[in-house]
């Protein structure tokens, strides 16, 4: 496996542990999100979200929930 593949798996496992769901659930939700945003990966999803002014408020609300 490549370094990128290992990093993706570790991130998915961490997210799954935090949310208390199976890792495949995390992967499935990410794939649906990528399709909805019309992107291929996490990096593109972050860039798309940051560039979309309509999503700015949603991002702020999400960050507020983290803390």
């Amino acid at each position: 496996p490549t370094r990128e593949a290992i990093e993706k798996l570790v991130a998915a496992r961490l997210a799954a542990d935090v949310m208390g769901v199976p890792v495949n659930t995390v992967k499935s939700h990410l794939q649906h999100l990528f399709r909805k945003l019309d992107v291929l990966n996490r990096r593109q999803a972050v860039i798309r979200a940051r560039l979309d002014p309509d999503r700015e408020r949603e991002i702020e609300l999400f960050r507020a929930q983290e803390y």
Side-chain angles (χ1 to χ4, degrees):
T2 65
R3 178 180 176 180
E4 183 178 333
I6 292 170
E7 288 173 352
K8 285 182 183 179
L9 181 58
V10 169
R13 284 186 180 166
L14 178 60
D17 286 346
V18 169
M19 293 186 291
V21 298
V23 70
N24 285 336
T25 300
V26 172
K27 290 178 181 180
S28 175
H29 283 292
L30 285 172
Q31 289 305 313
H32 289 142
L33 177 64
F34 296 163
R35 270 187 254 139
K36 186 174 183 177
L37 293 173
D38 192 26
V39 298
L40 299 175
N41 55 46
R42 294 169 199 221
R43 180 177 295 235
Q44 289 179 357
V46 170
I47 291 168
R48 171 71 53 96
R50 287 180 177 166
L51 293 177
D52 187 348
D54 294 333
R55 307 215 38 109
E56 211 169 294
R57 180 70 180 137
E58 289 179 48
I59 293 168
E60 289 174 18
L61 291 172
F62 177 77
R63 286 183 180 155
Q65 292 174 0
E66 290 180 358
Y67 301 106

